[in-house]
Amino acid sequence: MPNNKAPGRIQPYPHAAAGWGAVKQVAVNLVREKVSAGHTRALLSQNQPGGFDCPGCAWPDRAAGASFAFCENGVKAVAAEATSKRVRAEFFAAHSVSALLQQSDYELEQHGRLTAPMEYDSASDHYRPVSWERAFAIMAEHLRALPDPDQATFYTSGRTANEAAFLFQLFVRMYGTNNFPDCSNLCHEPTSRGLPGTVGVGKGTVTLEDFEHADALFIFGQNPATNHPRMLGELRACARRGASIVSINPLRERGLERFTSPTHPSEMLGNGSTTISSLFIQPRLGGDFALIKGVAKRLLELDDAALARGTASLLDHAFIAEHTSGFAAFAEDLRQQPWPGLLEESGVPRAQIDQLTEIYCRSANVISTWGMGLTQHKGAVRTIQMLSNLMMMRGNIGRRGAGLCPVRGHSNVQGDRTMGIEDKPTPAFLDRLQQVFDFAPPRHHGYDTVDSIQAMLDGKVKVFIALGGNFAMATPDTPLTFAALRACDLTVHIATKLNRSHLVHGKAALLLPTLGRTEIDLQNGVPQGVTVEDSMSMVHLSYGQNTPASSELLSETMIVAQLAHATLGSSKVDWLGYAADYGRIRDAIARVFDDFHDFNARVAQPGGFHLKVASRQRVWRTASGKAQFLVHPLDLDTPIHRARAIHGERLMVLMTARSHDQYNTTIYGLDDRYRGVFGLRRVLFIHRDDLAMLGLQRGEFVDLQSVWDDGVERRAQRFLLVEYDIPRGCLGAYFPETNALLPLHSTADGAGTPTAKSIPVLLQRSALQESAE
Ligand SMILES: Nc1nc2c(c(=O)[nH]1)N[C@H]1C(S)=C(S)[C@@H](COP(=O)(O)OP(=O)(O)OC[C@H]3O[C@@H](n4cnc5c(=O)[nH]c(N)nc54)[C@H](O)[C@@H]3O)O[C@H]1N2
Ligand SMILES: Nc1nc2c(c(=O)[nH]1)N[C@H]1C(S)=C(S)[C@@H](COP(=O)(O)OP(=O)(O)OC[C@H]3O[C@@H](n4cnc5c(=O)[nH]c(N)nc54)[C@H](O)[C@@H]3O)O[C@H]1N2
Ligand SMILES: [Mo]
């Protein structure tokens, strides 16, 4: 329904990131969530030894850091879980599912924590209470009745800790399928698929200590002030040491420009701030591949010139000779690559490419970090591989102060993959599972997230079980995804809070409430810790501190164990025994993964332990046994190129990203402070010249329509135009409101990740107008 009230305020935010603005928001959030005093105290044990791992992001912790003080968004994540608001059986009795569907995502989130297992009753269109026992029986009946285990699919969101994830994958494989869609498919999948081809391992190669020794940082497609606020502390330290920080982002995100550290009183009291980026490059959306290839080409040119002059080489020839393969072909391709295409596709002026190359050459040790700005594109895999090429040219991998640093999203998304949440498992891993647990795991690949939606639409998947997350809203093509879920015989969500996925259900549906990471997890009276792996491969223990939101909650681990027990019985695996003592699960994990040897002992050390990443040690697990230079041409025949050929400059490319007040699909509030948006979310950032070109004005409302060639009409209505410093031809908006525009099969080549940062669209003045100013 269109909102006829004044839609909010657009007003540039003049301050540095964090600072007093962040401190104020911490208080606002604790009040909004009505967090009790006891639970507020628990915030102080966030990311401290003996406390819980912050359920916010996957950025690692300094051992004795005062993380709490400056992570505004960590507090929001904890406050959202520690809220004193509750969704009880009476709530569902009072609101039908259809009625709840009319509420906004923000309103759904605000109802609070789920408290008891519920079953959908189609006669009344209400959720009604069900016993845990009956809930497990329903799931087991459905699963056992399927003629083929591949007719069920099992989603995992990245908050799930290692113990639950390990049991989940074991159960699902014993049941008989590798259908493991997960949130990583929507996120860093191109990293996980791209890096193995170049350096052998799909993980980053740096630790936090490396940031202390880096001479330059290149930050690609990330908004740390919002999504990884603790990263700003590292950036600040690097900047103050004199390291060069280059940000590559179509938007001049505030945290990449200036930061006021709440943990440094002099900065707070003196109203000071630290300048973060010494160079800011604003490529067009998806322009990073051409930019990185351009820098590699320029570097080679400079090196050729140095060679001709007889001065020192700019490449690390020793590294290239000893550790890599494919350099000659790669260099040849760079020499052949004409400049105009690189400049046109990147949208970056030649002078800036030269500037970036100079910084790269004069910095002995360089770290490249990246987020969704690189991964959510059609060319994501080759972009990440090109970045790896560039880093290898100067030996910037597997050396102190240098390396590849993908910055993951969910706090345990990397750990879940390590534990085997993987639709394309390696034969070696399956062999090991087979040996340790004495069963024949399915060998054929399963469905990822996009495949699962298509399979549901095709009637090939009948049962959908989600361990966390908000599948209906996090995925593309919203109306199609809704239809897919509604076509299922059974949908099940294991969740902490109500979200739209719970309302877009199959013929039968269960909603199972679970403990959050901040809550005390007692099994047989003994508090259980769970383990998580952060973005830099540190594995550590997390102990909840808060009283559970309801006495009826079961832990995720227990829910998985009960489901497995009900479905498969316990003759082969003592599921309930595992759930009674998570240490036993960790022992099993140690038997399956060599890197987890002595797991219980090592993780009990303060700070946990670091998982060996072979590429960090310059051990290359590639086919050639070397780090591999890969040749990739510019892709000039993408759906965007084709759409532009038809529509000319009116064809715009849309990125969908996070506002400051949301956690993925969870909307905490309606502001995006640093970008100057207050009280509304349906905004569209656009360049002033594009407004003029389209005959539109800021403050007007527009409708968006995707340009895709499958005949499906995809629209999103009534977005307020906001004039913004964004490259020509590019648009920015928030997800999930825009997911209806993202075609299901618009995915990253070789990774299947939806192209959430490059959706071809056309704009049209909306029939409903009203000024915001
Ligand atoms: N508070 C909070 N914390 C979070 C999350 C949250 O929603 N809220 N989500 C978590 C999760 S799951 C993830 S994956 C991470 C996400 O963290 P980020 O990776 O920071 O995610 P986004 O906000 O989607 O956008 C990233 C940035 O990419 C830029 N960008 C867009 N397109 C391009 C491009 O083509 N090239 C370049 N160079 N840049 C581009 C955008 O301008 C934006 O600054 O954060 C995690 N942490
Ligand atoms: N257009 C567009 N779409 C995107 C993105 C984008 O940038 N643009 N980003 C993508 C990315 S990077 C990601 S990672 C996905 C995120 O996709 P998901 O992980 O599926 O989504 P979330 O919004 O993080 O899930 C939130 C829900 O998780 C449940 N939850 C929270 N904590 C717990 C817990 O401890 N246990 C359990 N069982 N449940 C819990 C709550 O019920 C909450 O409503 O979205 C993707 N979708
Ligand atoms: Mo993510």
Side-chain angles (χ1 to χ4, degrees):
M1 283 297 288
N3 171 4
N4 289 320
K5 290 188 299 231
R9 181 164 55 90
I10 305 297
Q11 188 176 51
Y13 184 76
H15 310 290
W20 291 110
V23 173
K24 190 173 136 211
Q25 285 307 312
V26 164
V28 168
N29 275 278
L30 293 175
V31 172
R32 177 166 54 210
E33 296 294 352
K34 301 191 169 76
V35 177
S36 73
H39 284 190
T40 305
R41 266 198 309 280
L43 278 171
L44 294 167
S45 68
Q46 182 180 339
N47 293 336
Q48 301 299 319
F52 55 84
D53 180 77
C54 177
C57 73
W59 188 259
D61 309 308
R62 288 271 167 194
S67 317
F68 159 69
F70 64 80
C71 196
E72 173 196 347
N73 280 352
V75 171
K76 285 185 200 160
V78 173
E81 199 167 287
T83 180
S84 61
K85 302 178 200 169
R86 296 289 178 269
V87 173
R88 301 184 203 282
E90 303 85 78
F91 172 88
F92 287 113
H95 302 276
S96 70
V97 169
S98 309
L100 288 172
L101 259 179
Q102 300 305 311
Q103 299 192 0
S104 70
D105 295 309
Y106 176 63
E107 287 170 291
L108 292 177
E109 158 72 16
Q110 288 302 314
H111 295 305
R113 289 287 301 276
L114 299 167
T115 52
M118 308 297 290
E119 176 186 8
Y120 179 68
D121 171 38
S122 56
S124 65
D125 187 35
H126 282 258
Y127 271 108
R128 59 164 190 224
V130 66
S131 70
W132 278 108
E133 200 184 355
R134 178 74 194 125
F136 292 123
I138 291 171
M139 290 191 272
E141 281 159 21
H142 274 270
L143 289 173
R144 283 203 301 253
L146 290 180
D148 176 353
D150 286 335
Q151 291 185 9
T153 198
F154 299 83
Y155 182 70
T156 310
S157 171
R159 278 204 190 173
T160 293
N162 289 335
E163 289 74 9
F166 180 81
L167 279 196
F168 197 46
Q169 65 81 30
L170 182 62
F171 156 61
V172 170
R173 293 201 162 97
M174 285 193 151
Y175 171 67
T177 180
N178 284 311
N179 288 346
F180 286 109
D182 72 343
C183 73
S184 187
N185 297 151
L186 309 168
C187 182
H188 262 291
E189 193 72 45
T191 301
S192 306
R193 301 291 172 213
L195 290 182
T198 111
V199 295
V201 183
K203 296 186 182 181
T205 69
V206 301
T207 66
L208 272 188
E209 279 61 49
D210 287 309
F211 281 77
E212 293 163 19
H213 304 283
D215 302 299
L217 304 179
F218 297 166
I219 304 173
F220 286 91
Q222 259 196 279
N223 181 17
T226 290
N227 298 321
H228 304 92
R230 286 176 295 117
M231 181 176 176
L232 291 184
E234 302 300 328
L235 299 186
R236 176 182 187 274
C238 287
R240 291 180 93 89
R241 261 194 312 106
S244 305
I245 300 182
V246 183
S247 289
I248 299 99
N249 197 310
L251 304 186
R252 299 185 68 92
E253 305 285 22
R254 184 57 45 85
L256 298 170
E257 295 194 308
R258 283 178 291 134
F259 170 52
T260 298
S261 167
T263 51
H264 291 84
S266 57
E267 221 167 70
M268 289 293 277
L269 296 172
N271 271 331
S273 65
T274 300
T275 298
I276 299 294
S277 297
S278 41
L279 175 63
F280 213 111
I281 295 182
Q282 293 177 273
R284 64 165 54 157
L285 291 169
D288 303 81
F289 175 86
L291 167 67
I292 297 164
K293 193 166 182 182
V295 173
K297 180 175 170 66
R298 178 66 187 152
L299 173 58
L300 195 67
E301 286 177 358
L302 292 175
D303 187 63
D304 287 346
L307 206 69
R309 277 199 312 271
T311 51
S313 173
L314 295 170
L315 303 182
D316 186 341
H317 286 291
F319 175 82
I320 293 172
E322 185 187 343
H323 287 287
T324 72
S325 149
F327 181 71
F330 171 66
E332 182 52 26
D333 177 65
L334 288 181
R335 292 198 171 90
Q336 298 300 322
Q337 171 68 54
W339 274 111
L342 294 175
L343 301 181
E344 168 66 24
E345 291 299 307
S346 64
V348 178
R350 177 64 197 268
Q352 281 197 336
I353 295 184
D354 291 356
Q355 224 180 330
L356 179 52
T357 313
E358 272 159 42
I359 293 173
Y360 188 45
C361 289
R362 69 163 184 259
S363 308
N365 298 305
V366 179
I367 293 176
S368 285
T369 77
W370 68 92
M372 297 301 99
L374 285 202
T375 64
Q376 294 175 332
H377 291 287
K378 182 171 191 290
V381 169
R382 56 185 167 271
T383 303
I384 290 159
Q385 293 181 336
M386 193 52 70
L387 182 56
S388 185
N389 286 335
L390 178 65
M391 297 293 280
M392 291 183 329
M393 288 173 87
R394 286 178 48 82
N396 274 312
I397 296 179
R399 171 169 89 200
R400 195 172 81 160
L404 299 167
C405 181
V407 182
R408 308 263 168 183
H410 268 299
S411 51
N412 196 43
V413 63
Q414 186 164 319
D416 290 342
R417 186 54 64 86
T418 304
M419 290 296 111
I421 302 296
E422 161 70 283
D423 51 283
K424 299 175 184 67
T426 63
F429 165 64
L430 295 177
D431 291 345
R432 196 64 176 263
L433 268 190
Q434 176 151 10
Q435 184 196 325
V436 172
F437 289 100
D438 185 28
F439 76 110
R443 296 275 163 171
H444 57 285
H445 289 173
Y447 296 135
D448 68 4
T449 297
V450 166
D451 299 336
S452 291
I453 296 169
Q454 189 61 54
M456 290 182 222
L457 286 169
D458 295 343
K460 291 184 191 155
V461 157
K462 296 287 183 195
V463 174
F464 170 83
I465 298 181
L467 189 51
N470 187 356
F471 190 88
M473 295 314 289
T475 52
D477 243 341
T478 313
L480 225 64
T481 297
F482 279 22
L485 287 165
R486 286 177 171 141
C488 288
D489 289 339
L490 173 70
T491 52
V492 178
H493 290 274
I494 298 157
T496 51
K497 296 181 93 173
L498 188 62
N499 66 45
R500 195 165 305 279
S501 295
H502 312 154
L503 309 173
V504 182
H505 53 79
K507 289 179 198 78
L510 292 166
L511 180 47
L512 308 178
T514 189
L515 290 175
R517 184 151 339 133
T518 59
E519 290 167 320
I520 298 166
D521 182 353
L522 280 184
Q523 302 297 342
N524 294 325
V526 182
Q528 304 290 316
V530 295
T531 61
V532 293
E533 173 185 341
D534 66 32
S535 210
M536 296 184 194
S537 306
M538 289 294 304
V539 180
H540 44 266
L541 264 174
S542 169
Y543 280 96
Q545 305 289 316
N546 289 338
T547 316
S550 148
S551 58
E552 285 188 71
L553 302 186
L554 294 183
S555 72
E556 288 188 339
T557 314
M558 183 55 90
I559 293 173
V560 172
Q562 294 274 9
L563 170 60
H565 174 73
T567 310
L568 303 177
S570 289
S571 59
K572 261 216 152 85
V573 175
D574 178 13
W575 303 105
L576 302 181
Y578 276 130
D581 174 5
Y582 299 178
R584 290 194 53 200
I585 307 177
R586 288 188 285 275
D587 284 337
I589 292 171
R591 277 185 278 137
V592 173
F593 303 102
D594 293 338
D595 290 345
F596 283 82
H597 67 87
D598 304 308
F599 191 5
N600 275 304
R602 285 159 76 217
V603 83
Q605 320 260 334
F609 64 95
H610 187 246
L611 279 178
K612 272 204 220 92
V613 177
S615 44
R616 178 178 167 79
Q617 260 87 45
R618 295 194 164 177
V619 172
W620 315 105
R621 301 238 162 94
T622 57
S624 63
K626 301 267 189 187
Q628 190 67 42
F629 278 98
L630 295 167
V631 174
H632 290 301
L634 267 182
D635 183 359
L636 298 174
D637 184 28
T638 65
I640 289 173
H641 288 90
R642 292 196 291 273
R644 190 156 279 143
I646 298 168
H647 299 282
E649 63 174 358
R650 299 181 76 84
L651 191 277
M652 306 288 288
V653 181
L654 170 71
M655 71 147 161
T656 60
R658 293 149 173 80
S659 84
H660 193 64
D661 273 359
Q662 73 184 83
Y663 191 92
N664 297 338
T665 66
T666 301
I667 312 302
Y668 299 135
L670 301 179
D671 296 348
D672 191 13
R673 186 166 84 243
Y674 299 142
R675 300 194 188 114
V677 177
F678 300 91
L680 77 167
R681 288 181 50 84
R682 294 182 87 87
V683 294
L684 191 65
F685 300 120
I686 184 168
H687 191 283
R688 168 207 302 245
D689 297 343
D690 284 326
L691 282 175
M693 181 265 297
L694 293 166
L696 294 166
Q697 299 195 356
R698 66 175 185 181
E700 282 186 322
F701 289 89
V702 285
D703 299 338
L704 294 96
Q705 185 181 357
S706 316
V707 180
W708 204 251
D709 58 7
D710 59 359
V712 177
E713 193 177 87
R714 298 179 175 87
R715 284 178 178 279
Q717 251 124 21
R718 211 161 175 276
F719 286 75
L720 180 76
L721 287 170
V722 176
E723 187 182 306
Y724 210 79
D725 181 1
I726 183 171
R728 289 286 315 267
C730 301
L731 301 170
Y734 307 128
F735 87 99
E737 289 84 345
T738 41
N739 285 27
L741 294 166
L742 181 47
L744 184 61
H745 293 289
S746 175
T747 56
D749 298 337
T753 301
T755 61
K757 301 283 191 274
S758 48
I759 311 174
V761 295
L762 295 171
L763 304 191
Q764 196 176 39
R765 199 167 178 277
S766 181
L768 288 158
Q769 290 298 326
E770 190 179 340
S771 176
E773 290 166 293

